[in-house]
């Protein structure tokens, strides 16, 4: 047996490879979803007979026909070879979402799952669901967060929250059945074929952060929530908690606070939490890359399978390394999805839940399967340098990390020659030729138009220069004053 320190190396190598890598073999050709005439969804009390043909994994075949002896119930679309639910679902079963068209044959999709438990293999919800698409030809990566409250059709089961699928699948089909069922669920509801998955729990996540020596992450907006006064206190007792505000800036988080940061949603939403989780994944990749930890997979692999649930093998993981090493932050994009755009709140579901908006969801999923668009910011491809005076050191890196998600080529210039400012200033050297980029800067840096200084320069080396000010720290997700202390569910 290797030491516990080596075990953490194994976890890190495995997880980061899964987060930002690419499999060594190309994916099979994508097939269009077959839109065959659907059978009726039989309500409880009616009888139905059907003829079902055995099918290979994730292959969509012609439908079976249901025959009702009672009064025909309302028709709800359901994909052919799946069984009809015994009980009427809480929401109509939607038709399967069409498979998006990939940018090429060399695409790999990895499902990253985080369970809300501190006890390995115990019943748990899957509160972190992030999809990673790798375009090996383009050398890019795309992240997509799926909210835990999304109601989906689970093949051969019913409509339910997506964060219960893995646990249900493990109980019904045994170990590994949950991940397989989640893959089938995502294929039906999002049209996304998942090639590999990796799943960790709270303890394993904290082990990863410990091996990194803490997590260096950019906090773009202060966040407030209750935390344990000490990680070793009893998390079931209210007196163990204190109200804490994590301020804006470049922060090094210890394992407990890193877990707190990716889990907190008392002052924001699950959508914002998903964006923070994607930020953390990118930060972990960057730290592992800078520390040279992505080149030690072969010697570490034998034990990794003992501590991370995954269907990847060593050959797959070795194939991840070249692309993971060659990526830069500008080649990593995330597809942000939001309430009342890609999702709507469902009615009469029995609990809070979201339902997809089909057309908007199709667009988001299609973008997920494509490399970062050269038309981001209307194809302006802006360059920008960002500095912060010594009292505000770190604000520049925070702003650069935020802007890179939007397609800016941002360079941090540090403190030298930068004025100590109360308000952030944007110097526009473009003569107004990059209006989309300027408007995005104004929005993301939270500045007014009076804080933009036009200095047209045909010989410029960058399009914009930003000097950060104290006003950047005005963003705060504050917890409601009447909120009580609720122990963390673990």
């Amino acid at each position: 047996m290797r030491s516990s320190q080596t075990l953490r190396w194994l976890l890190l190598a495995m997880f980061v490879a899964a987060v930002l890598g690419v499999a060594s073999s190309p994916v099979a050709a994508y097939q269009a979803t077959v839109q065959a005439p659907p059978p009726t969804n039989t309500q409880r009390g009616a009888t139905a007979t059907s003829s079902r043909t055995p099918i290979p994994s994730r292959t969509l075949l012609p439908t079976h026909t249901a025959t009702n002896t009672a009064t025909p119930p309302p028709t709800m679309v359901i994909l052919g070879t799946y069984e009809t639910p015994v009980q009427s679902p809480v929401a109509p079963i939607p038709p399967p979402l069409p498979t998006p068209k990939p940018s090429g044959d060399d695409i790999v999709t990895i499902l990253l799952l985080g369970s809300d438990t501190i006890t390995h293999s115990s019943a748990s919800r899957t509160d972190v669901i992030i999809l990673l698409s790798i375009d090996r030809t383009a050398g890019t990566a795309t992240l997509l967060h799926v909210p835990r409250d999304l109601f989906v059709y689970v093949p051969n089961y019913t409509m339910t929250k997506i964060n219960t699928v893995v646990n249900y699948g493990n109980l019904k089909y045994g170990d590994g059945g949950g991940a397989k069922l989640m893959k089938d669920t995502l294929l039906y509801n999002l049209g996304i074929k998942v090639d590999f998955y990796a799943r960790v729990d709270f303890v394993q996540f904290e082990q990863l952060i410990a091996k990194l020596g803490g997590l260096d992450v950019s906090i773009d907006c202060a966040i407030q929530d209750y935390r344990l006064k000490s990680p070793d206190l009893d998390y079931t007792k209210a007196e163990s908690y204190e109200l804490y505000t994590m301020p804006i800036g470049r922060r090094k988080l210890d394992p407990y606070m890193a877990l707190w940061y990716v889990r907190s949603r008392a002052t924001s939403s699950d959508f914002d939490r998903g964006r923070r989780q994607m930020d953390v994944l990118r930060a972990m990749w960057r730290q592992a890359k800078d520390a040279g930890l992505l080149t030690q997979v072969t010697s570490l692999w034998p034990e990794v399978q003992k501590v991370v649930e995954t269907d990847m093998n060593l050959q797959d993981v070795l194939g991840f390394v070249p692309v993971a090493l060659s990526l830069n932050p500008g080649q990593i994009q995330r597809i942000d999805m939001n309430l009342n755009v890609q999702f709507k709140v469902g009615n009469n579901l029995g609990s809070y839940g979201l339902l997809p908006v089909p057309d908007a969801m199709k667009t988001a999923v299609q973008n997920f399967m494509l490399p970062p668009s050269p038309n981001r910011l209307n194809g302006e491809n802006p360059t920008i340098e960002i500095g912060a005076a010594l009292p505000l050191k770190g604000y520049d890196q925070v702003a650069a990390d935020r802007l890179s998600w939007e397609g800016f080529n941002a360079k941090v210039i540090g403190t030298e020659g930068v004025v100590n400012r109360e308000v952030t200033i944007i110097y526009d050297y473009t003569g107004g030729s990059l209006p989309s980029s300027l408007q995005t800067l104004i929005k993301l840096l939270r500045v007014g138009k009076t804080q933009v200084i036009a200095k047209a320069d045909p010989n410029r080396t960058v399009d914009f220069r930003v000097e950060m000010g104290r006003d950047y720290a005005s963003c705060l997700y504050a917890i409601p004053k009447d909120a009580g202390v609720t122990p963390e569910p673990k």
Side-chain angles (χ1 to χ4, degrees):
M1 294 294 292
R2 298 179 187 268
S3 66
S4 61
Q5 182 180 21
T6 301
L7 190 60
R8 290 174 182 150
W9 280 63
L10 296 168
L11 281 164
L12 180 61
M14 174 63 206
F15 189 79
V16 175
V19 168
L20 288 173
V22 58
S24 56
S25 58
V27 232
Y30 278 74
Q31 298 180 347
T33 301
V34 179
Q35 299 291 344
T40 57
N41 179 24
T42 306
Q43 292 181 323
R44 194 173 190 177
T47 61
T49 60
S50 63
S51 175
R52 300 180 63 227
T53 304
I55 59 173
S57 174
R58 296 196 299 273
T59 301
L60 310 181
L61 295 180
T63 64
H64 66 280
T65 302
T67 303
N68 296 314
T69 58
T71 302
T75 298
M76 290 188 285
V77 178
I78 180 172
L79 183 64
T81 54
Y82 293 128
E83 296 174 354
T84 301
V86 175
Q87 294 182 333
S88 297
V90 295
I93 296 174
L97 206 67
T99 301
K101 182 179 179 181
S103 59
D105 293 335
D106 210 357
I107 305 292
V108 171
T109 302
I110 301 172
L111 174 62
L112 304 175
L113 302 172
S115 59
D116 66 345
T117 180
I118 59 175
T119 304
H120 185 63
S121 299
S122 66
S124 63
R125 298 164 300 184
T126 306
D127 280 354
V128 179
I129 306 168
I130 294 176
L131 287 156
L132 168 67
S133 174
I134 303 296
D135 189 318
R136 191 174 190 175
T137 301
T140 59
T142 302
L143 294 163
L144 175 71
H145 168 254
V146 180
R148 69 173 195 169
D149 294 316
L150 178 64
F151 268 73
V152 292
Y153 170 61
V154 182
N156 295 329
Y157 182 40
T158 190
M159 292 287 291
T160 189
K161 281 190 181 183
I162 195 168
N163 71 337
T164 66
V165 172
V166 171
N167 188 57
Y168 170 78
N170 284 334
L171 291 174
K172 184 172 178 63
Y173 303 111
D175 290 345
K180 171 63 169 61
L181 187 60
M182 178 65 90
K183 288 183 179 183
D184 290 343
T185 299
L186 291 168
L187 179 61
Y188 185 97
N189 292 272
L190 300 185
I192 295 175
K193 177 184 178 295
V194 173
D195 298 293
F196 301 105
Y197 81 96
R199 180 171 178 256
V200 297
D201 57 29
F202 288 170
V203 173
Q204 292 164 336
F205 177 80
E206 289 186 277
Q207 287 177 324
L208 295 172
I209 301 304
K211 181 54 198 173
L212 284 173
L215 180 70
D216 295 319
V217 67
S218 293
I219 312 299
D220 182 58
C221 189
I223 182 170
Q224 192 177 76
D225 202 347
Y226 288 94
R227 70 171 183 180
L228 288 173
K229 297 173 185 177
S230 174
D232 56 0
L233 292 177
D234 186 344
Y235 64 85
T236 65
K237 296 182 178 179
E239 58 266 27
S240 299
Y241 290 81
E242 64 181 358
L243 185 62
Y244 172 73
T245 301
M246 181 176 288
I248 285 176
R250 187 72 174 165
R251 306 291 169 196
K252 181 176 283 293
L253 308 182
D254 64 27
Y256 171 75
M257 287 309 301
L259 181 62
W260 179 92
Y261 182 64
V262 298
R263 296 191 63 226
S264 174
R265 66 171 184 159
T267 58
S268 53
S269 67
D270 194 43
F271 296 102
D272 176 69
R273 181 167 70 167
R275 286 186 281 270
R276 280 185 271 120
Q277 290 165 355
M278 290 185 283
D279 283 343
V280 164
L281 290 176
R282 187 175 69 166
M284 293 174 68
W285 157 77
R286 181 155 53 189
Q287 279 184 245
K289 178 183 176 182
D290 291 346
L293 298 179
L294 297 180
T295 59
Q296 305 176 45
V297 176
T298 300
S299 61
L300 301 176
W301 178 251
E303 292 182 39
V304 70
Q305 296 168 296
K306 301 176 184 178
V307 290
V308 176
E309 181 185 325
T310 183
D311 56 357
M312 288 179 278
N313 59 37
L314 178 58
Q315 182 182 5
D316 300 323
V317 176
L318 287 173
F320 300 162
V321 175
V323 172
L325 289 171
S326 65
L327 281 171
N328 63 61
Q331 294 170 308
I332 305 170
Q333 70 169 334
R334 69 184 185 197
I335 305 299
D336 290 333
M337 297 196 292
N338 296 285
L339 186 62
N340 299 323
V341 181
Q342 288 84 12
F343 305 98
K344 62 183 179 181
V345 176
N347 297 319
N348 302 317
L349 299 178
S351 63
Y352 176 80
L354 303 173
L355 296 173
V357 178
D359 288 342
M361 181 63 74
K362 289 178 187 177
T363 299
V365 169
Q366 182 60 71
N367 289 337
F368 169 71
M369 295 303 299
L370 300 175
S373 172
N375 291 322
R376 285 191 294 177
L377 302 171
N378 288 327
E380 292 177 354
N381 298 317
T383 57
I384 179 172
E385 60 182 19
I386 308 175
L390 189 59
L392 305 178
K393 184 179 179 181
Y395 281 22
D396 45 2
Q397 185 64 60
V398 172
D401 285 344
R402 179 66 185 91
L403 293 171
S404 65
W405 284 118
E406 310 300 325
F408 283 90
N409 182 5
K411 176 184 178 182
V412 174
I413 60 174
T415 62
E416 186 174 352
V418 179
V419 177
N420 186 7
R421 297 183 178 277
E422 290 298 321
V423 299
T424 299
I425 296 295
I426 300 173
Y427 291 96
D428 180 3
Y429 301 135
T430 70
S433 62
L434 302 180
S436 294
S437 300
L438 179 59
Q439 290 305 310
T440 303
L441 277 177
I442 289 172
K443 177 183 177 181
L444 296 182
L445 298 180
R446 304 186 282 271
V447 305
K449 293 183 178 180
T450 59
Q451 294 165 245
V452 177
I453 299 174
K455 296 183 67 174
D457 183 358
N459 300 315
R460 64 184 183 272
T461 57
V462 293
D463 298 315
F464 302 96
R465 175 185 173 94
V466 173
E467 296 188 1
M468 302 302 295
R470 288 176 176 80
D471 62 332
Y472 190 64
S474 61
C475 182
L476 169 65
Y477 289 126
I479 198 167
K481 293 184 178 180
D482 58 349
V485 179
T486 303
E488 295 177 334
K490 291 190 178 181

